Amino acid sequence: MFKKILIANRGEIALRVICACRELGIKTVAVYSEADEHSLHVRFADEDVCIGPPRSLDSYLNVPAIISAAEITGADAIHPGYGFLSESAYLAEVCEACHIRFIGPDATVIRLMGDKSRARRAMKKAGVPVLPGSDGPVEADEQAAKVARELGFPIIVKAVAGGGGRGMRIVRAPADLSRALKTAQREAQAAFGVGDVYLEKYVESPRHIEVQVLGDHHGAVVHLGERECSIQRRHQKLLEEAPSVALTDKMRRRLGATVVDAARAVQYTNAGTFEFLLDQSGHFSFLEANTRLQVEHPVTEMVTGVDIVKEQIRIAAGERLSFKQGDVTFTGHAIECRINAECPETFTPSPGVIHVFSVGGGPGVRVDTFAHSEAVVSPYYDSLIAKIITHGRDRQEAIARMRRTLEMTVIEGVKTSIPLHLKILSDPDFIAGRLNTHFMERFLTERKDSSSLAEAV
Ligand code: MV4
């Protein structure tokens, strides 16, 4: 087992990794930017190294600085958390060259999944249902027009280097294809440095469901069930839950088995998430695979009892998965609210000093946060300040626990999304589990009590 792990991240996820390390008896190294000197992840790590100025490019994305910090402190592994360098095949390769273990899949798998068109082909080959689409990138108008004719409109143009919804264009009529192709290519080039795009049949109003997997270096792969992630705005998830009310036990077993086979086919190791769209007739289609720990992993931990971060560390150290698929059970229901420091109506960030921070507790409540009274929410980084996760015997109990927890939470100094979360939790469609990826658009436009809201969609 590792003796010392460097955490190449900040905020709540850096603390989450420190929790796992402490339970495993592993020493920790925090890296931090000049903006995070007084952060809890620095205070609770055994050692810390300043890696640069506040801007992410100069600090949390600075590979040489992070590798130097690992070498100076003698860390034998790096946990990248989520965001920042978590899906950098380059960091994984540099780690290998420097004999530092990267806690994540191999660089080759990260690179495969990072190319959404290649990932699609690999999944199709492994027997995973994918949407009808182009076999690879499309370049010229004529080629795109031919593929589009075969698929039938509407179609969606996606960046091969994309993910998270950037560089996408929906096309509803042949006349709009050429423009959409050019715009998507230009956007993709600007955002990712790679202009390639591919085409897919567009699915109207699907649910977004993802499956958590773990694979060790001895060929064992298990799935930990699904998460329902349809409640998002502009590709930022606001609330996630496990399990999804849209799946029967039989569907869960089938989807899980499909994902396990696919993960095996690409020799997937460590933790990963396979994203799917579930269409209105109940068909699943693979979207993309995320080769990192995800923000919403706690809902899976709550219903399975598996500590995903500890498993990641054990797997990276070469240990075997300590349980088999048959040992995985799903108990009750879990919901996560991502509490952001932002205006609940306009969604503009609300950085500042948190003067009061008190989260409701009691049965079935978990809080993952870096916040405390006097904590700073920096304008340099994302606005997530806390994840509140509730568990209940069933969905209704999990919802009731979330509502009373949010009602008994006091955060002063910054605005938070809590009022918005409370409104979602009392929405009849949400309560009935009638969700799809357009839930928030509909929710925000129908709140006609304030005319400014329509602009925030
Ligand atoms: C789609 C789609 C409909 N049809 N692909 C958005 C993020 C990226 N992971 C893929 N995304 C989508 N791909 C086809 N063929 C709809 C979306 C989509 C979406 C997906 C998941 C969660 C929220 C979403 C919001 C809008 C669009």
Side-chain angles (χ1 to χ4, degrees):
M1 183 42 76
F2 305 124
K3 291 196 168 56
K4 198 187 276 186
I5 292 176
L6 180 143
I7 300 141
N9 216 302
R10 63 181 301 284
E12 68 87 16
I13 198 61
L15 285 163
R16 171 70 188 88
V17 177
I18 291 174
C19 290
C21 291
R22 287 200 176 192
E23 290 181 27
L24 291 170
I26 300 168
K27 292 265 183 267
T28 53
V29 181
V31 293
Y32 64 97
S33 76
E34 285 163 13
D36 282 337
E37 195 184 333
H38 302 291
S39 298
L40 283 191
H41 81 278
V42 178
R43 192 192 305 178
F44 291 140
D46 296 297
E47 291 173 72
D48 52 78
V49 182
C50 181
I51 50 165
R55 288 193 323 177
S56 301
L57 274 176
D58 302 324
S59 51
Y60 298 106
L61 291 171
N62 184 340
V63 173
I66 289 164
I67 295 288
S68 305
E71 294 195 320
I72 290 163
T73 55
D76 32 27
I78 293 180
H79 195 302
Y82 53 68
F84 296 126
L85 294 166
S86 59
E87 295 184 279
S88 165
Y90 174 69
L91 175 64
E93 278 167 357
V94 174
C95 282
E96 195 176 344
C98 297
H99 305 288
I100 298 165
R101 198 65 59 79
F102 177 80
I103 303 176
D106 292 342
T108 49
V109 174
I110 299 176
R111 195 158 275 128
L112 168 68
M113 296 308 186
D115 180 327
K116 308 299 162 183
S117 183
R118 265 183 77 208
R120 225 178 88 83
R121 281 198 301 276
M123 289 301 108
K124 192 175 171 184
K125 196 174 151 210
V128 181
V130 299
L131 289 159
S134 60
D135 277 332
V138 290
E139 271 150 42
D141 282 354
E142 309 81 66
Q143 186 197 2
K146 183 167 179 283
V147 177
R149 246 194 328 275
E150 285 161 13
L151 298 177
F153 288 86
I155 59 144
I156 183 164
V157 184
K158 295 183 175 181
V160 301
R166 291 202 296 168
M168 299 191 327
R169 276 283 176 289
I170 300 160
V171 188
R172 297 194 175 274
D176 304 328
L177 182 60
S178 173
R179 260 196 99 104
L181 196 67
K182 277 189 195 66
T183 326
Q185 284 167 336
R186 191 167 4 92
E187 271 181 23
Q189 183 66 44
F192 314 112
V194 181
D196 291 351
V197 298
Y198 63 105
L199 308 185
E200 260 180 11
K201 179 84 186 166
Y202 180 66
V203 183
E204 307 274 4
S205 306
R207 284 178 187 256
H208 179 203
I209 287 169
E210 57 187 31
V211 179
Q212 176 74 55
V213 297
L214 289 172
D216 69 18
H217 291 275
H218 307 272
V221 182
V222 297
H223 76 85
L224 300 179
E226 82 286 0
R227 295 184 285 260
E228 162 75 63
C229 303
S230 297
I231 302 200
Q232 51 79 43
R233 176 185 164 272
R234 296 187 179 173
H235 306 294
Q236 291 297 316
K237 293 166 189 162
L238 288 163
L239 183 155
E240 307 94 345
E241 53 184 305
S244 166
V245 299
L247 267 72
T248 60
D249 282 345
K250 198 175 154 199
M251 287 163 84
R252 178 169 303 109
R253 268 197 300 276
R254 239 197 88 198
L255 182 65
T258 304
V259 170
V260 165
D261 288 346
R264 263 206 202 94
V266 296
Q267 293 178 52
Y268 199 100
T269 56
N270 216 279
T273 298
F274 289 67
E275 292 187 5
F276 291 86
L277 292 183
L278 177 62
D279 72 19
Q280 287 158 340
S281 58
H283 289 106
F284 281 100
S285 302
F286 171 81
L287 267 191
E288 51 195 71
N290 302 317
T291 56
R292 61 169 190 278
L293 179 69
Q294 292 203 237
V295 177
E296 60 271 26
H297 76 276
V299 294
T300 301
E301 296 187 323
M302 298 289 266
V303 297
T304 61
V306 174
D307 184 320
I308 296 171
V309 182
K310 284 203 288 194
E311 292 302 329
Q312 282 192 292
I313 295 169
R314 290 197 193 102
I315 289 166
E319 291 186 12
R320 284 174 191 277
L321 272 177
S322 60
F323 56 90
K324 297 190 171 58
Q325 190 65 58
D327 302 326
V328 179
T329 55
F330 303 99
T331 308
H333 200 97
I335 298 178
E336 171 178 278
C337 286
R338 294 191 188 187
I339 312 303
N340 292 313
E342 65 188 19
C343 172
E345 273 156 15
T346 61
F347 298 95
T348 43
S350 175
V353 178
I354 299 173
H355 291 297
V356 178
F357 186 80
S358 174
V359 180
V365 181
R366 164 174 171 180
V367 184
D368 281 21
T369 186
F370 70 94
H372 56 95
S373 297
E374 302 313 313
V376 176
V377 181
S378 167
Y380 290 99
Y381 313 109
D382 75 26
S383 54
L384 182 72
I385 52 174
K387 302 187 306 203
I388 299 179
I389 306 103
T390 58
H391 184 261
R393 274 167 307 178
D394 52 27
R395 189 169 185 267
Q396 206 186 333
E397 189 174 49
I399 293 173
R401 285 184 163 159
M402 184 62 81
R403 289 180 66 168
R404 61 107 175 128
T405 303
L406 297 182
E407 283 161 3
M408 296 169 81
T409 294
V410 184
I411 302 175
E412 284 172 18
V414 299
K415 290 180 188 166
T416 80
S417 51
I418 288 177
L420 176 68
H421 281 113
L422 279 169
K423 285 182 182 135
I424 295 170
L425 292 164
S426 51
D427 179 87
D429 283 340
F430 174 78
I431 290 167
R434 283 190 296 267
L435 310 177
N436 65 48
T437 54
H438 299 300
F439 178 90
M440 284 308 294
E441 275 161 70
R442 204 223 67 230
F443 181 82
L444 292 170
T445 29
E446 283 176 11
R447 276 169 53 187
K448 45 194 170 288
D449 47 311
S450 166
S451 59
S452 66
L453 283 175
E455 290 156 34
V457 176

